[in-house]
Amino acid sequence: MNSAIIVAAGKGTRMGPGVDKLFLEVAGRPVLAHTWQRFNDASCIDDLVIVVRDGMQTVFQELAAQFKFTKPFQLVSGGVERQDSVWNGLAALPATTEIVAIQDAARPCTSERLIADTIAAAREMGAAVAGQPVTDTIKETADGKTISRNVDRTRLWSMQTPQTFRVDVIRRAFAEMRRRGLAVTDDTAACELIGQPVRLVAGATANPKVTLPGDLIVIEALLRSASLVGSA
């Protein structure tokens, strides 16, 4: 069985004080509702675990009813950091889950094909991540003011979600991370601790994340485009 964990417990502070980016409306519905719809409709996903901030459970239940999400889901309380929220989500997975796709709730344009491709890659290798080769010129700075050196972009990828794993692999990786008391910026970083290779999976369509106010303009256009609106 394939499950998805949608991580929706963050505060999104870069959008500004008092703004919950997951509930900002874009293309006619909240950002979170678009993301949830993607995984609700994906035939390769059997059930969902939604990780939320404590006290928000009723809001999420109402959202599910409003948009008539039909796929089985459960709500789980998040932790202090994202990795704690993912850990809580992993603990809540059904015993029959073999593959889990971990998704940022603020990434509403993820296609079903990309979800399925990461699942197939994770089934084969144990771990996979959606991403894109870096196309911009990259520079490193030592002081935040001047360029220190040029970075070879031909070997660089930007990471996205879903980040997808065999359940036994990601649980072992997270257990090792917690044992060492480490913090990671994404789930694949935990795999490095146990020597688990991670397959890179490039998507055929844009898959941006809502981080700054300007991102909403781009995402609105993508969600309303002919290539995405049919599965939104």
Side-chain angles (χ1 to χ4, degrees):
M1 187 167 85
N2 303 325
S3 299
I5 296 172
I6 298 179
V7 185
K11 297 179 181 178
T13 54
R14 281 177 285 184
M15 288 295 287
V19 176
D20 190 335
K21 64 183 180 182
L22 298 184
F23 289 91
L24 293 174
E25 185 169 309
V26 59
R29 61 173 63 184
V31 169
L32 168 64
H34 286 287
T35 307
W36 195 335
Q37 188 80 62
R38 298 279 175 186
F39 284 81
N40 180 81
D41 294 348
S43 60
C44 54
I45 295 294
D46 298 300
D47 70 288
L48 304 172
V49 174
I50 318 291
V51 187
V52 306
R53 294 196 302 275
D54 257 340
M56 293 290 289
Q57 285 85 351
T58 299
V59 175
F60 278 72
Q61 293 281 6
E62 291 173 350
L63 192 75
Q66 178 184 353
F67 292 101
K68 298 179 173 59
F69 298 137
T70 57
K71 189 160 290 179
F73 73 91
Q74 56 178 314
L75 301 178
V76 175
S77 294
V80 176
E81 302 293 342
R82 182 186 184 281
Q83 64 195 48
D84 303 313
S85 294
V86 172
W87 180 256
N88 292 351
L90 290 172
L93 291 173
T96 52
T97 299
E98 299 176 16
I99 303 290
V100 58
I102 303 172
Q103 173 79 359
D104 289 329
R107 204 176 289 274
C109 299
T110 304
S111 68
E112 180 171 356
R113 177 179 174 182
L114 184 58
I115 299 168
D117 286 349
T118 64
I119 288 173
R123 194 177 302 280
E124 177 185 346
M125 181 166 282
V129 58
Q132 288 292 332
V134 170
T135 56
D136 291 330
T137 296
I138 303 295
K139 304 287 185 178
E140 182 179 306
T141 176
D143 59 8
K145 298 178 181 180
T146 59
I147 293 171
S148 301
R149 69 182 183 95
N150 186 65
V151 179
D152 181 8
R153 70 185 180 192
T154 63
R155 302 176 64 185
L156 301 179
W157 279 56
S158 60
M159 296 296 93
Q160 302 175 351
T161 61
Q163 301 194 2
T164 307
F165 311 89
R166 290 202 299 261
V167 171
D168 61 310
V169 167
I170 192 59
R171 281 181 173 157
R172 183 159 50 91
F174 262 62
E176 179 62 18
M177 176 190 67
R178 291 167 67 86
R179 185 187 72 80
R180 298 192 195 184
L182 299 177
V184 297
T185 57
D186 75 347
D187 309 312
T188 64
C191 289
E192 297 174 20
L193 302 176
I194 61 171
Q196 170 65 48
V198 181
R199 176 73 56 78
L200 294 165
V201 180
T205 56
N207 184 29
K209 182 180 179 182
V210 178
T211 303
L212 300 172
D215 298 332
L216 293 171
I217 299 171
V218 175
I219 288 171
E220 173 96 22
L222 287 169
L223 289 171
R224 293 192 181 281
S225 71
S227 61
L228 288 175
V229 77
S231 58

